Amino acid sequence: MTETIEYRVTDFDCPTCASNLERALKRAEGVEDAEVHYTTGRVELGYDDGVTGPESFERTISNQGYTARPR
């Protein structure tokens, strides 16, 4: 079943940082859609909850060097 979740990430240095995070999230297993907005810090994810979940996203965001706060 498709679920959605939003995070706020405010420690981007540049638009490329946001693009790199978006690319990393889209490569994660079970992620169906990912949008990362540099100007607002909003991260929107659509995912298959039978495959993945918030802990995986938070780990991916952390591994990219950012802090995720659930919205």
Side-chain angles (χ1 to χ4, degrees):
M1 180 172 185
T2 299
E3 296 287 335
T4 60
I5 191 167
E6 290 187 23
Y7 292 96
R8 186 169 177 97
V9 176
T10 58
D11 42 359
F12 294 126
D13 290 330
C14 65
T16 302
C17 297
S19 295
N20 289 340
L21 178 59
E22 184 174 285
R23 199 171 14 259
L25 289 166
K26 285 181 175 179
R27 284 192 307 252
E29 184 177 356
V31 172
E32 297 172 352
D33 189 33
E35 291 186 28
V36 179
H37 303 270
Y38 167 69
T39 56
T40 62
R42 191 175 66 220
V43 176
E44 302 169 339
L45 298 169
Y47 63 98
D48 182 340
D49 67 346
V51 177
T52 190
E55 290 180 10
S56 175
F57 309 138
E58 292 164 13
R59 186 173 40 251
T60 298
I61 293 169
S62 177
N63 287 343
Q64 293 291 312
Y66 305 106
T67 304
R69 290 182 296 178
R71 292 189 67 177

